[in-house]
Amino acid sequence: MATSLHNISQYDITTIPDASNMCFGIVVAEWNEEITGALLDGAVKTLEKHGALPENIHIKTVPGSFELIYGAHQMVLHGGYDAVIILGSVIRGETPHFDYICQGVTAGIARLNTTSEIPIIYGLLTTNDLQQALDRCGGKYGNKGDECAIDAIKMAKF
């Protein structure tokens, strides 16, 4: 998790298992594409850095963050993946919509994690403003996509 004391893209490379024999599904929301595209780029580059073959990284898009639950569930049911990563960005607005989407996605992914045979990695940025999202998709706090890729590799070996 990104904080003022920790960059999410920094980790001990010696603790990461080899991902060359792993297959990953990534579901990415199209909403806030500037942010989610950067998260996706970070996740893919990090998976490949640790040995994942490009043909073993399958990417599907969904319209928004709420649809990440359905997309992840479909990948679990039909994909043969070692882990699935969800990537999205919800930025607080003037209505309670932010709260409903964030709570719904969090609960849905948590439920999938308790009922699925493979891990689903939570990569939903929930920020108060655009700058906070930019700081966490390749900015001063690193890239949450990198962190999700590392989590996926580690959890696939759990």
Side-chain angles (χ1 to χ4, degrees):
M1 173 159 73
T3 69
S4 61
L5 303 176
H6 180 74
N7 183 307
I8 52 183
S9 294
Q10 295 176 342
Y11 56 91
D12 181 357
I13 196 167
T14 65
T15 65
I16 311 307
D18 176 34
S20 60
N21 291 320
M22 296 181 187
C23 188
F24 299 95
I26 302 176
V27 185
V28 59
E30 295 169 338
W31 193 259
N32 292 326
E33 189 173 17
E34 174 186 9
I35 304 303
T36 61
L39 295 172
L40 177 62
D41 186 56
V44 169
K45 285 180 179 175
T46 300
L47 289 171
E48 290 177 351
K49 175 181 176 179
H50 292 284
L53 300 173
E55 60 267 25
N56 289 336
I57 302 170
H58 303 167
I59 301 161
K60 295 285 188 178
T61 60
V62 294
S65 291
F66 198 78
E67 292 79 23
L68 291 166
I69 304 163
Y70 178 82
H73 184 63
Q74 291 304 306
M75 282 193 151
V76 167
L77 290 176
H78 305 291
Y81 301 106
D82 294 293
V84 172
I85 300 168
I86 63 114
L87 299 171
S89 172
V90 183
I91 300 170
R92 188 177 299 279
E94 297 176 359
T95 69
H97 179 74
F98 172 89
D99 298 315
Y100 300 130
I101 297 298
C102 295
Q103 290 172 4
V105 175
T106 301
I109 297 302
R111 186 175 53 256
L112 281 176
N113 264 310
T114 61
T115 60
S116 299
E117 297 296 319
I118 63 167
I120 293 83
I121 307 304
Y122 184 87
L124 181 69
L125 290 181
T126 58
T127 59
N128 289 318
D129 57 47
L130 178 60
Q131 187 59 54
Q132 288 178 345
L134 292 170
D135 289 345
R136 289 158 178 82
C137 73
K140 69 180 181 178
Y141 293 126
N143 189 321
K144 180 75 173 171
D146 297 343
E147 180 185 48
C148 291
I150 295 303
D151 292 350
I153 295 167
K154 286 182 171 184
M155 291 305 295
K157 285 290 189 181
F158 189 80

